[in-house]
């Protein structure tokens, strides 16, 4: 199964967590996305992927939905931590209860990031907009 490369650790210091993917860019982002894509296609979807329906959409180009990338990366980080033997015997149960169910429910919701995507096709979702905040405005 796919795991992240362990970051170098200075003796006596606590291990550092891998950075969240939204904080990465360039080559670092590409490398992290590559690992995430392998994990999604080789572990997550074969084990937890259910039939695609209008009530449970999935986008075959999930990586083009930034919300999906963020949620799936968080899920992958939790999987790496909670399936490690150091997490104890209940680590995988915690991952199932607290992570995979809620993340997949959000992603596959009819109003989630894949709304409008159908099996075999991708449709970009328009993000809401916000007007610029006027810093001179009195509160």
């Amino acid at each position: 199964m796919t795991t992240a490369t362990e970051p170098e650790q200075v003796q006596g210091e606590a291990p550092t967590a891998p950075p969240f993917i939204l904080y990465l860019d360039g080559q670092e982002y590409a490398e992290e996305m590559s690992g995430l894509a392998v994990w999604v296609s080789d572990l997550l979807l074969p084990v937890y992927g259910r039939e695609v329906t209008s009530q449970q959409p999935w986008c075959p180009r999930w990586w083009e939905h930034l919300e999906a990338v963020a949620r799936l990366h968080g899920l992958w980080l939790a999987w790496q931590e909670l399936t490690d033997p150091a997490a104890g015997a209940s680590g995988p149960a915690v991952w199932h209860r607290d992570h995979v169910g809620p993340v997949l429910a959000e992603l596959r919701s009819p109003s989630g990031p894949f709304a409008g995507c159908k099996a075999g096709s991708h449709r970009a979702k328009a993000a809401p907009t916000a007007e610029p905040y006027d810093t001179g405005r009195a509160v």
Side-chain angles (χ1 to χ4, degrees):
M1 297 296 154
T2 306
T3 58
T5 304
E6 294 294 322
E8 287 190 33
Q9 182 179 342
V10 176
Q11 191 171 4
E13 288 186 16
T16 58
F20 186 50
I21 198 162
L22 297 183
Y23 296 138
L24 304 176
D25 59 11
Q27 187 61 32
E28 287 181 316
Y29 182 86
E31 288 173 6
E32 195 70 4
M33 271 301 299
S34 179
L36 177 60
V38 168
W39 182 79
V40 168
S41 66
D42 290 358
L43 183 119
L44 186 68
L45 292 180
V47 177
Y48 302 98
R50 296 180 181 167
E51 185 176 2
V52 176
T53 68
S54 61
Q55 294 302 303
Q56 291 226 304
W58 176 261
C59 184
R61 300 180 65 84
W62 59 266
W63 57 87
E64 292 188 16
H65 298 270
L66 195 54
E67 178 184 349
V69 169
R71 288 183 183 275
L72 289 169
H73 189 255
L75 186 62
W76 183 38
L77 293 176
W79 180 81
Q80 291 174 66
E81 179 180 344
L82 292 170
T83 60
D84 186 286
S90 63
V94 170
W95 184 78
H96 283 94
R97 182 193 67 206
D98 294 349
H99 300 281
V100 73
V103 167
L104 290 179
E106 285 291 324
L107 287 177
R108 303 212 45 203
S109 164
S111 62
F114 303 143
C117 295
K118 294 180 176 28
S121 72
H122 163 74
R123 184 181 73 100
K125 189 173 177 184
T129 60
E131 294 182 10
Y133 175 73
D134 180 3
T135 57
R137 180 177 222 149
V139 178

